[in-house]
Amino acid sequence: RPILDMSYSRHFLDFQGSSIPSSMKKLVVTKLSPNFREAVTLRQDSPVPLPGDGDLLVRNRFVGINASDINYSAGRYDPSVKPPFDIGFEGIGDVVALGLSASADYTVGQAVAYLKAGSFAEYTVVPAKQAVPLPSVKPEFLTLMVSGATAYISLKELGELSEGKKVLVTAAAGGTGQFAVQLAKKAKCHVIGTCSSDEKGGFLKSIGCDRTINYKTENVESVLRKDYPEGVDVVYESVGGKMFDLALNSLATKGRLIIIGFITGYQNPTGLQPVKAELLPAKLLKKSASIRGFFLNHYLSEYKTALKHLLKMYESRDLVCEVDFGDMSPEDKFTGLESVFRAVDYMYMGKNTGKIVVELPHSVNSKL
């Protein structure tokens, strides 16, 4: 059958017994701009999509905020895509309808997470092959989908971590930084983390960070020069600009700098803050050092294995998955799609500790 079998009415009833609405709210990029509020529009009455034969219709309960949401709304990932287009990279929720083929592996009411564009919506169609079945709908699971997987795969494939290596993690208390710190510690490395407050420093110490540097009160360059005169072996870098220059200069002989982003440049029209790159060849040669870029989409062949491993670590309490719902933000917790705009602002102001997650409440009485 090309689409779900409508003769099985339970396939098109959500598991609380109320029918799926015909329209929903979702966020849509209507204009390319690095200013998220300018680029994105909240649509109130978009049609709820129908799942095809191999698809699930997921009612989103939690969606994740990523620094790269702005890159996507600015049209930097695929310049051929023209507005309007859906936005949001990851979600977690309940299967409320599914196609016939998909029903071989999934049932209505099942908890799933997914990595797919279009999660900033009340309902998202997800190919069953791309869904990740979960024991329950917990926001902690969502932290692993992009942030955890990015840290795990990049450090495994590019980090060459081993006991005693010195690892510098920039923006260490952020969504992905928290995992880089923990995974480097599990590899028996000495971990240094930069952050913007003493509260974040306390969180970093609680997850094993050996040395925290509050860049608002300490000079990062001076601390590294004084405490690590031989340099650091690996840098997990997501800030860009001056922090990139500083990290590059702090590399030890044969050191490796892994770029997973450059958040300081994302809100700029060009997307880049200048770095002092003209001396780069000399700097790398002098130290036999290397710089590697990492973009999760290029490592999707490793994704399922990485996620399985991370889920196992979390369930055995071997991994802290810190979630930030914006409880400390001026207008309170991030609830509902309209709060995605605030959540993106909150991230770019550097306020978050852990992964920023937005909860999507539903009028249906949930028993979960």
Side-chain angles (χ1 to χ4, degrees):
R1 309 274 178 110
I3 202 158
L4 69 165
D5 186 341
M6 296 300 286
S7 67
Y8 291 99
S9 60
R10 71 181 183 85
H11 280 220
F12 211 62
L13 284 175
D14 79 28
F15 66 103
Q16 299 294 344
S18 66
S19 58
I20 294 159
S22 57
S23 65
M24 65 171 185
K25 292 180 184 175
K26 73 172 178 177
L27 294 185
V28 178
V29 176
T30 48
K31 175 190 173 185
L32 297 182
S33 169
N35 179 331
F36 192 82
R37 288 177 181 271
E38 204 175 86
V40 179
T41 303
L42 174 61
R43 294 249 166 100
Q44 299 280 354
D45 53 359
S46 295
V48 172
L50 288 177
D53 182 53
D55 297 332
L56 312 173
L57 180 64
V58 178
R59 182 171 66 194
N60 293 315
R61 297 267 298 280
F62 298 100
V63 294
I65 303 295
N66 293 286
S68 46
D69 289 328
I70 277 189
N71 281 342
Y72 200 56
S73 67
R76 288 180 186 139
Y77 286 154
D78 185 355
S80 69
V81 178
K82 300 287 179 261
F85 56 87
D86 297 347
I87 190 167
F89 292 125
E90 53 184 342
I92 180 170
D94 316 297
V95 175
V96 291
L98 68 173
L100 222 53
S101 300
S103 68
D105 300 304
Y106 289 92
T107 58
V108 166
Q110 195 162 351
V112 294
Y114 63 88
L115 179 62
K116 177 184 178 283
S119 69
F120 292 165
E122 290 180 316
Y123 295 85
T124 303
V125 165
V126 180
K129 287 178 183 166
Q130 289 178 27
V132 179
L134 295 173
S136 62
V137 177
K138 283 177 80 173
E140 286 79 8
F141 292 129
L142 189 57
T143 67
L144 303 173
M145 297 300 292
V146 172
S147 301
T150 294
Y152 181 89
I153 300 170
S154 64
L155 289 173
K156 181 170 173 282
E157 297 292 318
L158 311 177
E160 297 171 41
L161 301 184
S162 58
E163 188 171 351
K165 295 288 185 193
K166 292 184 274 295
V167 179
L168 170 66
V169 180
T170 64
T176 179
Q178 64 171 326
F179 295 112
V181 168
Q182 293 177 80
L183 294 169
K185 280 306 294 177
K186 292 194 186 310
K188 299 186 174 169
C189 297
H190 175 93
V191 183
I192 309 132
T194 70
C195 61
S196 60
S197 71
D198 291 341
E199 290 74 23
K200 290 184 183 188
F203 165 68
L204 289 174
K205 288 195 177 100
S206 78
I207 58 171
C209 199
D210 297 288
R211 174 65 160 101
T212 62
I213 308 174
N214 177 350
Y215 62 80
K216 296 274 178 80
T217 58
E218 294 181 273
N219 182 299
V220 180
E221 193 172 9
S222 304
V223 171
L224 290 173
R225 201 181 298 129
K226 177 174 165 287
D227 294 0
Y228 305 95
E230 299 293 305
V232 295
D233 302 294
V234 179
V235 181
Y236 183 87
E237 217 296 271
S238 62
V239 177
K242 288 174 183 168
M243 187 62 85
F244 171 87
D245 289 327
L246 196 152
L248 177 66
N249 293 338
S250 304
L251 282 177
T253 301
K254 296 183 184 174
R256 298 170 294 289
L257 193 155
I258 303 168
I259 300 170
I260 62 122
F262 39 93
I263 191 170
T264 50
Y266 292 175
Q267 287 180 307
N268 295 355
T270 59
L272 280 169
Q273 272 206 338
V275 294
K276 294 173 183 167
E278 64 273 10
L279 299 173
L280 190 60
K283 285 181 180 179
L284 296 178
L285 181 65
K286 185 177 157 192
K287 294 179 175 178
S288 292
S290 62
I291 298 176
R292 300 286 300 270
F294 178 87
F295 188 43
L296 185 59
N297 287 13
H298 298 148
Y299 288 85
L300 293 179
S301 57
E302 321 286 320
Y303 184 75
K304 282 267 165 95
T305 311
L307 208 55
K308 202 175 282 184
H309 189 77
L310 289 164
L311 284 164
K312 200 178 287 180
M313 285 174 77
Y314 172 69
E315 288 178 324
S316 61
R317 301 191 172 177
D318 215 14
L319 196 64
V320 172
C321 298
E322 187 71 13
V323 174
D324 191 332
F325 278 119
D327 294 307
M328 308 300 286
S329 71
E331 293 166 66
D332 210 18
K333 198 173 165 180
F334 302 131
T335 307
L337 283 172
E338 44 285 333
S339 71
V340 167
F341 297 96
R342 281 200 299 121
V344 169
D345 289 343
Y346 183 78
M347 169 177 282
Y348 278 89
M349 289 188 285
K351 301 285 190 192
N352 60 300
T353 299
K355 173 85 180 181
I356 301 177
V357 173
V358 173
E359 184 172 4
L360 304 186
H362 287 272
S363 52
V364 179
N365 292 324
S366 172
K367 292 171 188 156
L368 288 183

